[in-house]
Amino acid sequence: MTISAVAQLEPLPLQHLRRGKVREVYIIDDDRLLLVATDRVSAFDVVMHEAIPYKGAVLTQITAWWLRQLEKDVHHHMISADADEIVAAVPSLAAHRATLAGRAMLCKRTNVFPVECVIRGYLSGSAWKEYRSSGTLAGESLAPDLRESERFDPPLFSPATKAETGHDENITLARTAEIVGPQIAAELERLSRLVYTRGRDIAAERGIIIADTKFEFGRDGEDRITLIDEVLTPDSSRFWPAEHYQPGRSQPSFDKQPLRDYLDGERKAGRWNGEAPPPVLPEHVVKATSARYLDAFRRITGSELNLTELS
Ligand SMILES: Nc1ncnc2c1ncn2[C@@H]1O[C@H](COP(=O)(O)OP(=O)(O)OP(=O)(O)O)[C@@H](O)[C@H]1O
Ligand SMILES: [Mg+2]
């Protein structure tokens, strides 16, 4: 079976709102958005030329799966992640059903709270960097002598501001309360902890450590705090293979390790300087990465991604 991975979506008859590294956001009307995950992949903050077969569908359908699990715990933005239902709701998309299959989510449009709700179950990434240099996270002290990748119990809520360019900036809980108000800040923390803990426990039973993740919330038309964006996907989270977990060092990435290893090799060989444009990826790297994403879907949801629909 030949699969065409999609880096660039065909034009859709909708108003385009924004292009992310991976996703395209379209406006349907005042109340609804269409989020479409392409198969683009980034590593070390650089978007690759090649697209990864099935990656967009994996991201969208993992989010959809989690949102269905979380229905009782939190209001969420999903209306549908099924292409037939989306086309029925938005008939102008009928000619684009194949493009949207698996990768599109019709969502309630919300007013987004300008805070990235980062929650960390393990000490890694930018948190490890700050801790190593100053013993703190977002300026607040942590226990001494923590090792890299050490598990936190309870998890740490460490919000950040959404930066338009460059890296998001970690902010204190006090600063979060100033931005959204103390009651909303407390609710965002409660919901982030609840959703992360659910996700971490389910994934752990299935061999994946969700080391940390980022949630976004918005206020819907009925004034309810609503979980939006992508949820507990490999792109919004650090997924680690549980069988290789060992504190005291950085961990391999469940999904992107074949890609990272290749890029590291190119860097060490002096063929890539770590910035855009990235090197051309050999097919075996693209295939191995695609297989990792499909495996993440399979392990988390317990079923196969419906591939026949997507090719
Ligand atoms: N229900 C919603 N209502 C309003 N905005 C939403 C909703 N769901 C998601 N969004 C917004 O859609 C945007 C998705 O674009 P984003 O730039 O994050 O794409 P991305 O491909 O994830 O890129 P990056 O990798 O750079 O984060 C975000 O700004 C997010 O706040
Ligand atoms: Mg994003």
Side-chain angles (χ1 to χ4, degrees), residues 32-51:
R32 295 174 303 171
L33 295 177
L34 189 72
L35 264 52
V36 188
T38 68
D39 300 319
R40 295 194 289 267
V41 67
S42 68
F44 306 117
D45 272 342
V46 176
V47 181
M48 301 294 118
H49 303 294
E50 295 77 8

Side-chain angles (χ1 to χ4, degrees), residues 17-25 31-33 35-38 40 42 45 47 59 76-78 107-113 116 162 164 168 214 216-219 226-230 235-236:
L17 181 66
R18 77 178 273 142
R19 144 170 285 207
K21 284 203 286 290
V22 170
R23 288 171 307 152
E24 307 284 348
V25 184
D31 304 322
R32 295 174 303 171
L33 295 177
L35 264 52
V36 188
T38 68
R40 295 194 289 267
S42 68
D45 272 342
V47 181
L59 295 184
H76 65 69
H77 71 162
M78 179 168 67
C107 302
K108 282 195 275 183
R109 188 174 182 180
T110 68
N111 277 323
V112 183
F113 296 111
E116 308 256 326
K162 289 161 76 82
E164 280 306 311
D168 295 346
K214 185 252 333 178
E216 291 188 44
F217 295 90
R219 200 188 281 284
T226 303
L227 179 59
I228 65 168
D229 208 60
E230 57 183 328
D235 277 16
S236 65

